[in-house]
Amino acid sequence: MCGIVGYAGKRRAAPLLYAGLKRLEYRGYDSAGIATLAEKIEVKKCTGPVANLRAAVDLKGTCGIGHTRWATHGAPTAANAHPHVYGRFAVVHNGIIENDRALRKMCEARGESFSSETDSEVIAHLLERLYRGDLLEALKRVASVLEGSYALAVLCADEPGKIALAREKSPLVLGRGKLGNFLASDVPALVGACLEICPLRDGEFALITESEVTMSEGERFISPDWLPLERGRGESGKAGHAHYMEKEICEIPAALCRSRETASGAVFSRVREELCAAKNIRLVACGTAYHASLAAKYAFEKLARVPAEVTVASEFRYQDPILSENSAVIAVSQSGETADTLAAAKLAKERGAKVIAVVNEARSSLSALADETLPINAGREVCVAATKSYVAQLSVLYTLAASVAEAQGRRGYGDLLSELPSLARETVKAGRAVGGWAPHFAAARSAYFIGRGADAVTALEGSLKLKEVSYLPSEGYPAGELKHGTLALIEEGTPVVAVLTSQELAEKTMNAVHETRARGAKVFLVTSIPAYAGEKGLTGCVVIPPCTEVYSPALAAIPLQLLAYYVALARGCDPDKPRNLAKSVTVE
Ligand code: AGP
């Protein structure tokens, strides 16, 4: 969730750390800080975005650590911002220390006072207590008493030029480049500065200096497994768009084209075999990736007639899932770092299931854990709200479902997917019309999204997107379920978005539309059936191109993403950085 950067080299650290934090800001943006070590540790912190830390670039020293925060323990104040300094130590931490209360009490009982409300500060206190002249050894001792998750980077005033690192259930990557050695919680921070990277695994420690990187697991030294950092992994700015969200929606057709490359590899064939042989298929994911999984269930069952079960990843391990070596678990995650999805995938592996990761970040913790990885190739997504990655996830999952169907003699569904990129291009164009709907939503108290069949999934995703970026309370509902309770919330002027792409279910969806209209709702229709565009009483309608009903969420989501974007603007919200959220949710 939070972002970590670090540098030990020949150059001044602060400007490099600042640039790295700017690139990581999507991970959290409520406060930030940098600590450098020259003769002594110097720290600068700020609340709000990383730009507020501009003055920190003056800090001296060629070794330092930085952090951008997404608050878990304690409000987003400067005191709670990292790095936390105690005695000779400065610490940046991602994750949650679950036994922090007990540890803090112990420190307080010794007369130590704390300057923040965070769980992280206790790590600096423990380091000071357990240091015996060797930074890395002290960090190992501290790690042995910590419970929870952490990615840690630590400076010690007694050991200039060194940064010690530890990882447990929170991502951390080493990088080396011409200017020296780096570390980061996430690869994008290293793009441009490093030529090679090496992700740490859970339980591993490292020590970096200007010229050396040493890695260990317990007492055993291990040699870093350096991987080339491809150029072009960075994003190219907003490319003339006002926001990343808009840019990334416009990139959907290109993302769909690239997502199709996944189907041509050997990994894809192996995954298809696994799925065909599996006795049960389960999908686990969170948020938007969960919605993509719901749409995939629909495709596996409709096209391949194979049952598939979908579980919100945060609930999976608490349901004591029934799994065996005959189970295939598909873990869907844009970042590949979502703690709940990782935990679900880990449990699935422990129970003998084959784990298939469907990710946008191919070098993520999830792919390292999974038996197979299918990249969705959406390209880097900066906006916190997932847009192009959702559609690319759908594309890869549909391709899988179509190929399992084909293996069973149900042919032709794969070919239909080749039309999606050009249909998406038309949809982005047509979808822009929802900009005119925004004022109706901007002034409303709440909004509702309804649909049936695959359209019910689009309704859920449309509602999530609207909440996320415009803060307008909203619900997505299967249209037929509305009258069983939620209809009570519809009043004069309530905006209701109906999604209608299934000819078979069209009249049934329209019944729900009439029921809401009769209670005063303003109804906005997203449909691929032009005949319904002329329906009386609609406040707005967008016609999107028709495609096979099962695949329709890949297109119908686009106008709803655009709607969320325009409503966010109309309500004065920054769609790229919704409050309280972060791009990658690395805590449980
Ligand atoms: C999507 O708009 C959200 N930001 C969020 O629901 C996200 O999809 C969820 O946190 C899962 O993230 P992941 O795909 O990186 O695992």
Side-chain angles (χ1 to χ4, degrees):
M1 320 264 329
C2 312
I4 288 179
V5 290
Y7 170 71
K10 286 191 170 44
R11 292 274 185 95
R12 279 190 44 242
L16 294 168
L17 297 172
Y18 178 77
L21 288 180
K22 285 291 277 177
R23 299 186 74 91
L24 278 191
E25 203 173 15
Y26 65 92
R27 286 187 70 107
Y29 32 80
D30 60 41
S31 53
I34 287 178
T36 57
L37 174 54
E39 281 108 59
K40 56 180 181 130
I41 289 175
E42 285 188 87
V43 187
K44 282 204 174 145
K45 300 183 188 188
C46 69
T47 54
V50 174
N52 295 351
L53 200 62
R54 189 85 188 86
V57 297
D58 294 337
L59 290 174
K60 292 193 208 85
T62 56
C63 174
I65 52 180
H67 191 270
T68 173
R69 180 168 186 252
W70 183 86
T72 56
H73 290 55
T77 59
N80 288 336
H82 300 220
H84 292 290
V85 178
Y86 186 77
R88 287 161 284 191
F89 293 91
V91 174
V92 289
H93 166 226
N94 279 0
I96 295 180
I97 304 304
E98 287 166 3
N99 56 342
D100 121 86
R101 280 179 179 217
L103 295 171
R104 183 184 266 250
K105 257 194 181 162
M106 200 176 75
C107 296
E108 283 171 341
R110 290 196 298 253
E112 297 171 16
S113 56
F114 281 72
S115 2
S116 77
E117 304 156 280
T118 65
D119 55 333
S120 313
E121 191 187 343
V122 77
I123 299 165
H125 286 243
L126 293 173
L127 280 163
E128 186 58 38
R129 170 96 179 162
L130 298 175
Y131 183 64
R132 313 260 183 282
D134 184 323
L135 170 60
L136 188 61
E137 286 309 312
L139 184 58
K140 286 182 184 177
R141 270 181 228 121
V142 170
S144 72
V145 300
L146 299 179
E147 286 168 19
S149 56
Y150 49 83
L152 288 169
V154 179
L155 298 177
C156 173
D158 285 1
E159 301 192 39
K162 292 183 187 170
I163 308 174
L165 318 171
R167 172 192 162 140
E168 185 62 40
K169 299 192 205 113
S170 191
L172 201 52
V173 189
L174 300 171
R176 64 179 179 188
K178 289 185 181 148
L179 304 178
N181 292 314
F182 291 78
L183 66 101
S185 51
D186 214 359
V187 177
L190 304 177
V191 175
C194 294
L195 306 166
E196 292 174 308
I197 56 162
C198 171
L200 290 192
R201 282 182 294 231
D202 286 349
E204 290 183 347
F205 295 84
L207 188 81
I208 68 169
T209 65
E210 174 205 319
S211 54
E212 266 189 309
V213 172
T214 47
M215 271 175 72
S216 53
E217 190 189 7
E219 292 313 306
R220 192 170 61 90
F221 280 92
I222 42 184
S223 30
D225 196 2
W226 293 107
L227 305 163
L229 177 59
E230 308 98 23
R231 283 170 193 282
R233 275 190 54 93
E235 39 77 25
S236 50
K238 292 180 196 155
H241 294 270
H243 298 93
Y244 282 108
M245 184 171 184
E246 186 192 39
K247 176 193 172 221
E248 288 161 5
I249 295 170
C250 292
E251 286 172 345
I252 286 174
L256 277 169
C257 286
R258 286 194 304 271
S259 70
R260 293 185 49 74
E261 290 163 16
T262 295
S264 54
V267 179
F268 187 87
S269 312
R270 283 205 299 274
V271 171
R272 184 187 46 214
E273 299 312 313
E274 297 285 1
L275 294 180
C276 289
K279 289 253 172 352
N280 63 336
I281 298 178
R282 304 213 38 176
L283 294 111
V284 289
C286 302
T288 287
Y290 170 72
H291 295 154
S293 304
L294 289 176
K297 169 191 163 72
Y298 198 76
F300 275 114
E301 297 189 345
K302 273 255 174 178
L303 305 184
R305 306 301 295 153
V306 174
E309 204 179 325
V310 187
T311 312
V312 168
S314 55
E315 290 298 318
F316 189 71
R317 70 202 123 137
Y318 304 111
Q319 290 180 352
D320 195 7
I322 301 166
L323 297 166
S324 70
E325 56 280 10
N326 296 320
S327 312
V329 172
I330 308 177
V332 187
S333 172
Q334 186 283 132
S335 62
E337 302 294 350
T338 301
D340 288 318
T341 310
L342 277 166
K346 202 165 166 217
L347 178 72
K349 271 200 91 167
E350 283 162 12
R351 297 205 170 172
K354 277 272 168 312
V355 174
I356 298 135
V358 174
V359 291
N360 198 26
E361 294 294 337
R363 288 204 177 134
S364 58
S365 304
L366 187 58
S367 15
L369 182 85
D371 296 292
E372 304 285 3
T373 294
L374 294 176
I376 61 167
N377 297 326
R380 184 156 178 241
E381 195 174 62
V382 177
C383 175
V384 166
T387 53
K388 63 176 177 175
S389 68
Y390 173 66
V391 181
Q393 282 165 350
L394 290 178
S395 165
V396 168
L397 292 166
Y398 288 158
T399 312
L400 266 184
S403 73
V404 173
E406 195 168 301
Q408 295 170 343
R410 300 164 172 272
R411 296 181 194 286
Y413 294 113
D415 298 341
L416 294 171
L417 283 165
S418 61
E419 299 169 357
L420 278 185
S422 64
L423 296 178
R425 200 161 293 121
E426 281 178 53
T427 309
V428 173
K429 228 169 160 189
R432 292 276 189 183
V434 301
W437 305 357
H440 298 279
F441 288 75
R445 287 199 302 177
S446 58
Y448 297 86
F449 292 77
I450 56 171
R452 299 194 71 142
D455 293 334
V457 176
T458 306
L460 292 178
E461 177 56 12
S463 166
L464 176 66
K465 215 82 314 171
L466 186 71
K467 280 186 269 214
E468 198 177 8
V469 300
S470 78
Y471 318 145
L472 179 64
S474 116
E475 273 192 72
Y477 245 76
E481 188 63 12
L482 206 62
K483 55 188 174 295
H484 297 290
T486 305
L487 194 59
L489 300 176
I490 306 292
E491 52 189 8
E492 198 60 41
T494 305
V496 172
V497 178
V499 186
L500 200 172
T501 65
S502 160
Q503 188 67 63
E504 193 191 338
L505 294 169
E507 282 308 317
K508 300 197 184 296
T509 301
M510 288 315 288
N511 286 344
V513 163
H514 296 313
E515 285 158 15
T516 60
R517 278 266 309 124
R519 272 90 189 164
K522 288 180 182 169
V523 178
F524 301 85
L525 188 67
V526 172
T527 184
S528 56
I529 310 172
Y532 288 97
E535 194 77 11
K536 262 209 229 126
L538 295 177
T539 309
C541 178
V542 161
V543 179
I544 61 171
C547 74
T548 318
E549 187 230 334
V550 173
Y551 301 151
S552 66
L555 300 181
I558 296 171
L560 303 193
Q561 293 171 348
L562 285 164
L563 177 64
Y565 173 69
Y566 289 123
V567 177
L569 297 188
R571 287 166 65 91
C573 307
D574 175 354
D576 287 342
K577 289 181 189 161
R579 69 184 177 205
N580 307 340
L581 302 180
K583 185 73 181 160
S584 151
V585 186
T586 54
V587 291
E588 185 183 347

